[in-house]
Structures are given as C-alpha cells and as structure tokens.
Amino acid sequence: MGLTKFFAALQLALGNYASRLVLKSMLRKTPDGRPLLDRALARYADLEKGPMQLTCRMHSFILELLLKLGMLIVKGNEEEAKEVLRDPPVRRGIELVLRGIAEYGITVPQEMPAPFLIVWNFTNMCNLKCLHCYQRADSPLPDELTLAEKLRVVRELDRAGVASIAFSGGEPLIHPHFLRVAKEAADRGIYVAVATNGTALANMDYVKKIKEAGVRYLEVSIDSSRPEAHDWFRGVKGAWRLSVKGLRNAVELGFSTAMATTLTKMNIDEIGGILDLAEDIGVQRAVFFNFVPTGRGKDIVDMDLDPAEREEVLRRLFKENSRRNLMIVSTAPQYGRVSLQLSGGKEVSPTHFYVGGDPGLEALADFVGGCGAGRIYAGLQPNGDLIPCVFLPIKVGSLRESGFWDLWTKSPLLLKLRDRSQLKGFCGKCPYKYICGGCRARAYAYTGDVMGPDPGCIYNIKVWREIVEKMGLVKPELEIQVARKLEALLASTE
C-alpha cells in the first residue's frame, strides 16, 4: 500500500513543467559517480544523513518537499513508503519512473527510459520437453553468449538502470554459468528472479547456493495438481514430484515464491485444485500465464482457451483472490479490466501483481499499463538478441553488435509498441486500452501484426471466430455454445 500511494503522489506532485525541470537537473551525477536523484531518494528514505554538497542538499530538499506534498494529498503513510524505498532494487525502479517523468512527462501508460525488467532466456538447454515451450528448448544453441559476454551484458543493463533481471530458459538453473552471472547482477543492486521448472531445486544444497548468490525470487512452473497430467504436459515422468519438492525447499529457505501455471484446456477445470496445492506448499503468489501459440505452442494451438473460457477463468481467479491466503495474478492483460469491472473500480490487477482497496491503485495501473512488451520489459535470447517479449520473438537487434541503450531507445518496433494509439481492432478503441492493451504476443501469433487485436478477449470475438474458422479448430455446434456464453458474459459486464 505504501508503494501504490507513493506512485499516486508522484503523479500529483511531479506532473507539471516546473517539477520536471527539477527532476531533469537531478539526472546529473555527483563527483562519486552517483546520480543526484539516487542520493536524493536515499536521503528521503533516511539512508543518507551525512554531509552533502550544497547542490545535492538543495535538490534533496526540493524532491523531499514535493514528495511530502504528494503523500499528504493522497493521505499516504510516509514511513511505509520510506521502508519500501530502502530496498535498492525498488529504489532503482522508482528512479526509472522519475527519469521517465523527467524526460516524457506524465504519460498513460508511463513511458520509461529503460525497462523495469529484462527476462533473460539464459540458455536453450533444458531437462524437460514441455508441449508449450516458446523456445523449443532442448540443447544449448551453438552461438550462446560466453561467460565474459554475459557479464558484460549485466554491466550494460546495470548502466541503463534496469531494476530487475528474471532468468528463464530453457532451464537456467542447470547451466554452469548461472550462479556466477546471477551473483554479478545481485552485487550490482539488481533484483534477481528466476523462472524455472523447479527440478534442480529438489537439491536443497543447490537452493542454498542460489540464495547465497543473491537470488530473491523463485517462480516454479506447475501446470496441474495431478502429477500424471503435469508430467505429460512437461514431457518427463517424475517432473511433478521434483518441482513440488523444489518449490517447498524455496519456501523453506525464505525466498519470495510463486507457482506458475499456463492456462489451457487441460487444466481449466482444476483451478481449485491448483490453488489448493499452492496454498499447501506455502507460496506467496499463484501466477496464471496466458497461453501463447509460439515455439512448440504452435503444435498445440487447439489447447488454447476460447474468449468465453478465458473470461470465465479470469473472473474465477479474481473471486478466488479475495478468499485465498495468497496473491493470485495473471499475465493476461485483460485481468486488469476484469478486476476493475467486478470490483466496481475499487480493485485492479496490473499484469503480474494485484492491488486491492488502495486509493493509489488507479495511478499504479496507469504506470504499469497492462501488456509491457517492449515498454516496461524486454526479452533477451541466449545469443544476445534483444526481443520485445519472450513470447514475441522478433529480433530488435543484437547486444553483440549494438549497445542496449541504442536498441531500447531507437528501435522502430519498440517505439511502436509504446504507442497505444496504433492499436488495431477493438483494442484500439477499447476504454480499457491503457490498463490492458491486449497481449501483443498473442495478437502477433494469431494475426501476424504486433498491433493487431488480441483474439483472446471477449470484445474481439469476431476476430477469434474468423481465426478458428480458418484454422478449422471449432465445430459449428461448439461455436454456438461459445456464442451463448459470450452473450451472457458481456451482458453481466455492461
């Protein structure tokens, strides 16, 4: 709550030309190489109380005055906000927001000078053979980055101000470079997360090494509460047992933890069982991933949910969130719209996290803005190719050939993804496009256009029908059933 009200305070206090001028002047560096902004935020959080240069002290005073005014207006608790700001990665993220405001003003969604998050497909090697794998992971690619190149990439992301790196794959935990590179990122104050199949975490000694390296967040994929169903989907017998054990080990050692589930027709009817398992393990959050037909996922496109099924599941997740002892979120950007509608505007779930009953939630939703592909996060391939999202494998450029900063700030594709006015279909005129925007990866996978309509949304039912008819995925009698479901859902939404 302290952080969401802090975001609201930022909008109120800094959304004017004079404040932007102050912020711009604070982007300069002090003699010790730190930006004035970093020192000012640290001082606001009561982390720096020693002597400061006159210029730095003056800027710190002005920023503190503006923030105090904003927090007073939104009736925020300054101590809560300061406590959150004492965490270096959070401070890095706030600095990104402030830099974005200084350079672009208050925008909806908020434009950023660098991404909050880089999802790094660390390697193509994997010990499972998942049916939906976006990477078609199996063996390492011949052109994967060397250890020296990986460490250079971390340094480059650090200089750009990236707040968090999430290592994914393939399976990052089985690569010999992982611990060294993760430690490099953590030592630089970057928040280190890992998205893993969890099998390597069954070894408690290794989990302890991961902790020592500075990893703070572990997200383990478990796609069913039934071991046999999960093992079938993941392609290896016994995977469920190892993954569950690994997640229990992570909880025991005090990591921030999540259980991740990709929603398909296989598990749509066992939401309750999946959430029961998550609660039993003791994770803090359950993350339900949107299925995107890319990589091996193209081969099982018939397992995707239709718009009525997706809408029903998202509504079920929102209701479960209010009664479960864990946070329930979804990467489907429509979840933000669903949560606002069902709560009468009192609650929202921007992609990947949830906020309930907080006056700052509207400001936070505006900052996050739903789908963040190429806007607040980007993907990095094992060979150093930069892509907008791991589910949107369109090469923007190579970090072997170009600097990250140049690619991030100048890529025509990334600039397009940041402009919601270019969205097409109903996504372009939807009243919720600034907190949702549709999944750009799904739009591309189904229509071939990154700015096209997301066919998984109930408001794009016509697009979905055209696609499934062309692909021959739905029989006429089934389509009638789907249409009736949609009519009822749309009537209850209006």
Side-chain angles (χ1 to χ4, degrees):
M1 184 170 288
L3 188 57
T4 52
K5 287 190 176 178
F6 187 75
F7 272 102
L10 290 181
Q11 281 194 320
L12 286 169
L14 304 176
N16 59 78
Y17 183 72
S19 295
R20 282 182 63 194
L21 287 178
V22 173
L23 283 177
K24 280 188 176 182
S25 68
M26 295 180 73
L27 299 181
R28 293 183 289 111
K29 292 187 177 181
T30 58
D32 62 0
R34 291 173 61 191
L36 282 169
L37 183 56
D38 178 54
R39 296 203 66 180
L41 280 175
R43 193 172 184 88
Y44 176 75
D46 298 326
L47 292 175
E48 287 201 19
K49 297 184 179 180
M52 302 176 75
Q53 284 188 325
L54 178 61
T55 303
C56 192
R57 192 163 64 246
M58 182 176 66
H59 280 88
S60 296
F61 173 77
I62 295 173
L63 181 64
E64 183 172 352
L65 193 64
L66 289 170
L67 294 178
K68 280 181 178 291
L69 176 63
M71 291 295 282
L72 184 66
I73 294 172
V74 300
K75 298 180 181 179
N77 186 322
E78 270 201 287
E79 286 308 311
E80 285 184 354
K82 288 180 179 181
E83 182 61 33
V84 175
L85 283 170
R86 288 175 189 132
D87 189 350
V90 172
R91 219 163 46 250
R92 289 174 72 100
I94 296 296
E95 286 174 29
L96 276 179
V97 172
L98 293 175
R99 285 168 53 196
I101 294 173
E103 294 183 26
Y104 310 112
I106 297 288
T107 63
V108 180
Q110 185 60 48
E111 287 191 58
M112 299 292 176
F116 274 118
L117 171 69
I118 291 292
V119 181
W120 189 345
N121 290 330
F122 199 64
T123 178
N124 205 61
M125 70 163 60
C126 191
N127 54 341
L128 300 185
K129 300 184 184 298
C130 305
L131 294 179
H132 65 315
C133 180
Y134 57 76
Q135 282 290 104
R136 294 189 180 273
D138 184 5
S139 302
L141 301 173
D143 63 343
E144 292 189 3
L145 296 174
T146 65
L147 176 58
E149 288 176 319
K150 289 169 183 169
L151 295 174
R152 179 186 59 77
V153 166
V154 171
R155 292 193 294 270
E156 197 166 339
L157 297 179
D158 178 27
R159 285 196 299 271
V162 171
S164 178
I165 296 175
F167 292 96
S168 187
E171 176 47 51
L173 296 184
I174 64 175
H175 196 283
H177 294 166
F178 172 74
L179 290 175
R180 175 69 183 88
V181 178
K183 187 177 188 306
E184 179 71 21
D187 287 348
R188 290 176 173 271
I190 297 173
Y191 188 92
V192 179
V194 180
T196 169
N197 61 43
T199 55
L201 301 177
N203 181 340
M204 180 60 98
D205 288 337
Y206 186 56
V207 184
K208 290 176 180 177
K209 290 181 180 178
I210 293 171
K211 184 93 171 177
E212 292 169 1
V215 174
R216 295 176 57 173
Y217 176 87
L218 289 173
E219 183 178 279
V220 176
S221 297
I222 297 177
D223 291 299
S224 176
S225 57
R226 299 170 292 139
E228 65 280 4
H230 174 89
D231 290 355
W232 171 77
F233 197 65
R234 295 279 163 173
V236 173
K237 191 173 182 179
W240 187 91
R241 178 181 60 82
L242 291 174
S243 297
V244 168
K245 182 180 180 182
L247 193 45
R248 291 189 189 278
N249 285 342
V251 170
E252 183 180 337
L253 284 188
F255 285 90
S256 179
T257 52
M259 192 172 92
T261 301
T262 298
L263 286 168
T264 64
K265 292 185 185 297
M266 178 192 78
N267 54 25
I268 188 176
D269 294 325
E270 57 170 313
I271 298 298
I274 291 170
L275 292 173
D276 287 343
L277 177 61
E279 284 188 319
D280 178 67
I281 294 172
V283 298
Q284 291 138 316
R285 61 192 62 80
V287 183
F288 288 86
F289 273 76
N290 232 356
F291 171 80
V292 181
T294 188
R296 285 196 202 111
K298 293 179 181 178
D299 304 331
I300 58 166
V301 66
D302 56 326
M303 292 182 68
D304 194 6
L305 306 183
D306 64 49
E309 289 171 327
R310 178 170 286 99
E311 186 76 6
E312 286 183 319
V313 167
L314 294 180
R315 289 175 173 229
R316 168 79 184 275
L317 295 181
F318 176 79
K319 292 172 183 176
E320 290 282 358
N321 188 71
S322 64
R323 70 181 190 87
R324 294 278 183 169
N325 190 33
L326 75 167
M327 184 188 297
I328 301 172
V329 296
S330 174
T331 64
Q334 292 84 9
Y335 195 42
R337 186 255 307 161
V338 167
S339 60
L340 275 177
Q341 289 174 330
L342 294 186
S343 69
K346 295 178 181 178
E347 300 180 17
V348 69
S349 183
T351 306
H352 287 296
F353 62 95
Y354 166 85
V355 185
D358 187 334
L361 64 87
E362 190 173 337
L364 187 59
D366 285 347
F367 271 99
V368 176
C371 179
R375 191 176 54 79
I376 60 173
Y377 76 88
L380 185 60
Q381 295 286 46
N383 64 356
D385 286 350
L386 188 69
I387 54 179
C389 164
V390 293
F391 296 102
L392 191 54
I394 305 175
K395 181 179 176 180
V396 170
S398 170
L399 294 191
R400 276 182 165 143
E401 301 166 1
S402 306
F404 172 78
W405 187 257
D406 280 347
L407 294 176
W408 178 257
T409 56
K410 298 176 183 177
S411 161
L413 175 59
L414 298 185
L415 293 174
K416 179 187 289 189
L417 286 167
R418 295 165 198 166
D419 184 1
R420 293 281 165 88
S421 69
Q422 296 194 47
L423 291 176
K424 301 173 184 176
F426 191 82
C427 284
K429 56 186 177 181
C430 179
Y432 299 99
K433 72 178 179 179
Y434 293 117
I435 63 164
C436 172
C439 175
R440 296 301 94 216
R442 285 179 52 81
Y444 180 72
Y446 278 112
T447 72
D449 186 347
V450 294
M451 305 308 288
D454 177 354
C457 178
I458 57 171
Y459 297 127
N460 284 318
I461 183 60
K462 183 178 179 181
V463 177
W464 173 258
R465 285 174 173 164
E466 291 172 352
I467 289 170
V468 296
E469 182 179 346
K470 185 176 180 180
M471 298 177 73
L473 295 177
V474 177
K475 297 178 181 179
E477 61 270 21
L478 185 57
E479 188 174 355
I480 292 172
Q481 295 177 26
V482 172
R484 287 174 178 167
K485 283 183 183 179
L486 281 167
E487 287 173 5
L489 286 168
L490 285 168
S492 65
T493 296
E494 295 173 351

